[in-house]
């Protein structure tokens, strides 16, 4: 069953998910609900509000990276992240494009290692594309572009982002979500490499 093989690390991830949910709803800053609404509308409008105001560059990058991360996890978890206890990844991955770590952490908490190596013949056409170097290159290019945008935003943009982080629940929770997905990624990169029996050079290249 789905609870077979769970250990302390699984329980820790369940605790992290529960803590994140409680923190996001009860303790995250919430001083500017109107700002949150305006920010979301501007983001959905390509980065600028109806009044012509633009979204902070750093947060614009973080928000869009939250689209790159789920796509990256899709490539890492389908199929090399198949759980040994048969818990399917796709429902959590689908929700992650809207909910990020809030959707993925329950899967990570239920996940157990699969002992069998991944064979190329097991992959369907979609999975081959997700595992391809072409898809990896697209994700890397998108990620580097957005990271570069934030890195070159300038001190005033970073200062404004810090202020938003301290008073906007939307900015705060999205940023925490981004941090969690970033911290958990190396485990899944190495799991992907191990399942596919890549050598060390491939692992290092994938990590970069």
């Amino acid at each position: 069953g789905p609870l077979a093989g769970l250990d302390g690390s699984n329980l820790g991830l369940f605790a992290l998910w529960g803590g994140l949910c409680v923190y996001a709803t009860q303790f995250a800053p919430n001083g500017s609900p109107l700002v949150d609404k305006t920010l979301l509308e501007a983001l959905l409008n390509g980065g600028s509000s109806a009044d012509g105001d633009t979204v902070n560059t750093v947060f614009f990058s973080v928000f869009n990276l939250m689209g790159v991360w789920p796509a990256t996890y899709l490539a890492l978890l389908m199929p090399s992240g198949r759980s040994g206890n048969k818990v399917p990844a796709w429902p959590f991955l689908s929700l992650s494009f809207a909910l990020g770590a809030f959707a993925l952490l329950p899967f990570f908490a239920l996940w157990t290692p699969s002992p069998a190596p991944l064979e190329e013949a097991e992959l369907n056409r979609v999975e081959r594309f997700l595992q391809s170097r072409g898809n990896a290159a697209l994700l890397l290019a998108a990620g580097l572009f957005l990271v570069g945008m934030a890195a070159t935003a300038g001190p005033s943009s970073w200062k404004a982002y810090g202020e938003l982080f301290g008073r906007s629940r939307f900015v705060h929770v999205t940023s925490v979500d981004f941090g969690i997905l970033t911290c958990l990624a190396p485990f899944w990169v190495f799991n992907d490499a191990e399942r596919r029996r890549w050598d060390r050079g491939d692992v290092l290249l994938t990590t970069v």
Side-chain angles (χ1 to χ4, degrees):
L3 299 182
L6 300 188
D7 57 20
S9 60
N10 298 95
L11 295 176
L13 286 165
F14 267 124
L16 176 61
W17 177 59
L20 177 63
C21 292
V22 171
Y23 178 76
T25 56
Q26 301 298 322
F27 299 104
N30 192 28
S32 304
L34 183 59
V35 169
D36 288 355
K37 181 175 181 292
T38 304
L39 270 174
L40 182 57
E41 289 174 350
L43 286 164
L44 296 176
N45 195 41
S48 60
S49 68
D51 297 329
D53 297 325
T54 57
V55 175
N56 173 268
T57 302
V58 178
F59 181 62
F60 183 81
S61 300
V62 171
F63 180 81
N64 283 283
L65 281 166
M66 288 302 294
V68 175
W69 262 140
T72 302
Y73 275 99
L74 183 64
L76 291 171
L77 298 177
M78 298 285 290
S80 59
R82 288 173 182 166
S83 183
N85 57 12
K86 309 301 183 184
V87 173
W90 68 264
F92 304 94
L93 285 164
S94 299
L95 289 171
S96 72
F97 282 90
L99 300 175
F102 291 90
L104 286 176
L105 280 172
F107 174 72
F108 297 161
L110 290 169
W111 182 87
T112 60
S114 178
L118 183 66
E119 302 295 341
E120 191 71 23
E122 297 179 53
L123 307 183
N124 60 38
R125 187 172 300 178
V126 173
E127 290 169 338
R128 285 195 179 94
F129 169 74
L130 292 173
Q131 301 272 336
S132 70
R133 291 183 177 179
N135 185 45
L138 288 173
L139 292 171
L140 180 62
L144 288 176
F145 173 77
L146 292 166
V147 169
M149 181 187 295
T152 58
S156 60
S157 288
W158 278 96
K159 181 181 178 182
Y161 168 71
E163 292 171 354
L164 283 171
F165 183 83
R167 63 189 176 95
S168 164
R169 175 171 288 178
F170 179 40
V171 173
H172 191 95
V173 173
T174 301
S175 301
V176 170
D177 194 340
F178 170 77
I180 290 172
L181 292 182
T182 302
C183 290
L184 293 176
F187 170 83
W188 295 103
V189 169
F190 280 93
N191 177 72
D192 181 68
E194 184 177 336
R195 287 290 316 282
R196 294 201 270 173
R197 295 176 294 191
W198 285 3
D199 61 34
R200 185 174 179 178
D202 287 323
V203 172
L204 293 176
L205 178 62
T206 306
T207 303
V208 171

